[in-house]
């Protein structure tokens, strides 16, 4: 488990036991700016969004900065996605503190990432009938795809036999 500790300027790792308890707390990376939202890529690097840093930065374990995407406003959240998992989506807005909340300054920024996201769903497919996205690797997706490699439709759209 990785946790962004905004006020400590670090990413912290924990081991998760079978019963869900956490142990072996350790610093995964010290970072330059207060981290907010995070996501992990297939190389095991972490992208973190930062409001005061006005950027989204990719770091390796230990804190080596690998890439930085600048913004003109605070970055609150980030996620890798898109058809090939290499689009970094960043939610950003002007931040003037709690007293300055209001107005419509929010933006969804995109950046082409060098490495796709980690984990599921991968690869994603789109049902040719209802256009709902689903994954061949995730049996928990909704609607659940049929267990057929060349399937083009989800089970809700396929004929029932």
């Amino acid at each position: 488990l990785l946790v962004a500790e905004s006020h400590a300027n670090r990413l912290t790792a924990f081991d998760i036991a079978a019963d869900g308890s956490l142990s072996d707390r350790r610093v995964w990376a010290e970072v330059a700016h207060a981290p907010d939202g995070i996501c992990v890529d297939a190389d095991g690097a972490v992208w973190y969004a930062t409001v005061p840093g006005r950027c989204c930065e990719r770091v390796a374990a230990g804190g080596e900065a690998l890439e930085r995407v600048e913004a003109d406003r605070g970055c609150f959240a980030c996620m890798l996605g898109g058809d090939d998992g290499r689009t970094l989506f960043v939610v950003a807005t002007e931040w003037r503190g709690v007293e300055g909340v209001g107005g419509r300054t929010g933006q969804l920024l995109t950046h082409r990432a060098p490495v796709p996201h980690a984990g599921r769903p991968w690869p994603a497919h789109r049902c040719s009938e209802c256009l709902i996205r689903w994954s061949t690797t995730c049996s928990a997706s909704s609607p659940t795809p049929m267990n057929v490699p060349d399937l083009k439709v989800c089970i809700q759209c396929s004929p029932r036999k």
Side-chain angles (χ1 to χ4, degrees):
L1 172 69
L2 288 174
V3 177
E5 291 191 73
S6 300
H7 295 286
N9 286 5
R10 69 176 166 232
L11 302 174
T12 300
F14 294 89
D15 292 335
I16 304 174
D19 66 358
S21 63
L22 303 179
S23 63
D24 193 23
R25 178 183 178 156
R26 61 203 175 275
V27 174
W28 192 84
E30 299 283 348
V31 296
H33 303 284
D36 202 339
I38 62 174
C39 64
V40 180
D41 69 24
D43 282 351
V46 170
W47 284 95
Y48 74 92
T50 173
V51 176
R54 294 181 168 211
C55 69
C56 199
E57 190 164 42
R58 180 175 181 249
V59 295
E64 178 188 358
L66 303 172
E67 187 167 353
R68 184 180 174 106
V69 179
E70 300 285 341
D72 65 350
R73 59 200 67 217
C75 298
F76 285 81
C78 58
M79 179 58 66
L80 288 163
D83 288 338
D84 64 356
R86 291 177 186 261
T87 302
L88 178 69
F89 295 95
V90 180
V91 176
T93 193
E94 292 178 7
W95 178 250
R96 295 178 289 277
V98 177
E99 296 79 27
V101 172
R104 296 182 179 216
T105 64
Q107 294 180 343
L108 180 61
L109 311 173
T110 61
H111 173 76
R112 184 75 177 154
V115 179
H117 64 75
R120 297 187 224 186
W122 190 259
H125 301 279
R126 195 173 293 277
C127 173
S128 62
E129 299 294 320
C130 67
L131 303 180
I132 291 176
R133 291 178 64 82
W134 52 271
S135 169
T136 57
T137 61
C138 184
S139 61
S141 59
S142 178
T144 305
M146 293 178 68
N147 221 359
V148 179
D150 295 325
L151 183 68
K152 302 283 190 244
V153 297
C154 65
I155 63 169
Q156 289 183 355
C157 297
S158 66
R160 305 224 185 250
K161 295 185 181 189

